[in-house]
Amino acid sequence: APLIELLDAADAELAAAAAGSLAMLGDPAALPGLMALFRHPRASVRQAVVSAVNAIGAATTDDANMTRLTDPNPRVRECALRVAGYFGFPGCADATISAIDDEHEDVRRACIEQLPVVGHSRAIPALVIALGTDTARNRAAAAHAAGFADDRSTADALVRALEDTDPWVRYFAASSISR
């Protein structure tokens, strides 16, 4: 309970440390307090919270996470996508793939990073499209993620990405091809 109370600390470093401690304890009672921090303004806190939720792996995580995939706050959606991808929740596949069209770049990137593990027929085609059409940062993420998908269409898209205008896209495409 004292650690859960520290999640609301004004000091972001203290909140992140509390999340890390809760992850090590693995108590499912911490899940609501942790997931409330999906909306935290600091990325370091959100990353610590996602790691803690994933480490705890509570039986209620799937249901608690599902509603957050469509939350109005883009930070919440981004975190929920990262949790859904980590666990591979089958019920989250459609919402995960739908996030490829999200208006927020960070949410789309979280989606892109999960697509190789979603296990849905639309996942790899969505990854290939993102590799050729999203922002440079997200195309680079797609090039990296495509290296984890065993599909001919990603191989062809990665070869095309070697000609991308962005050097990071080309770098991750080359890296994924070698993988």
Side-chain angles (χ1 to χ4, degrees), residues 70-90:
T70 56
D71 192 277
N73 186 315
R75 292 177 183 141
V76 173
R77 293 193 307 274
E78 177 188 354
C79 291
L81 284 165
R82 295 188 187 289
V83 169
Y86 180 83
F87 286 107
F89 296 132

Side-chain angles (χ1 to χ4, degrees), residues 7 10 12 18 34 42 48 67 69 77 80 90 96 101 108-109 113 117-118 134 138 144 155 157 171-172 176:
L7 293 174
L34 288 165
R42 294 275 301 269
T67 59
L69 289 167
R77 293 193 307 274
T96 299
D101 295 322
R108 291 193 314 274
R109 187 170 39 263
E113 292 168 352
V117 297
V118 167
D134 211 313
N138 284 359
H144 178 73
Y171 169 82
F172 285 113
S176 288

Side-chain angles (χ1 to χ4, degrees), residues 80-115:
L81 284 165
R82 295 188 187 289
V83 169
Y86 180 83
F87 286 107
F89 296 132
C92 295
D94 287 332
T96 299
I97 293 168
S98 294
I100 198 73
D101 295 322
D102 198 280
E103 63 182 296
H104 295 276
E105 179 183 23
D106 292 342
V107 175
R108 291 193 314 274
R109 187 170 39 263
C111 167
I112 287 165
E113 292 168 352
Q114 310 317 310
L115 289 175

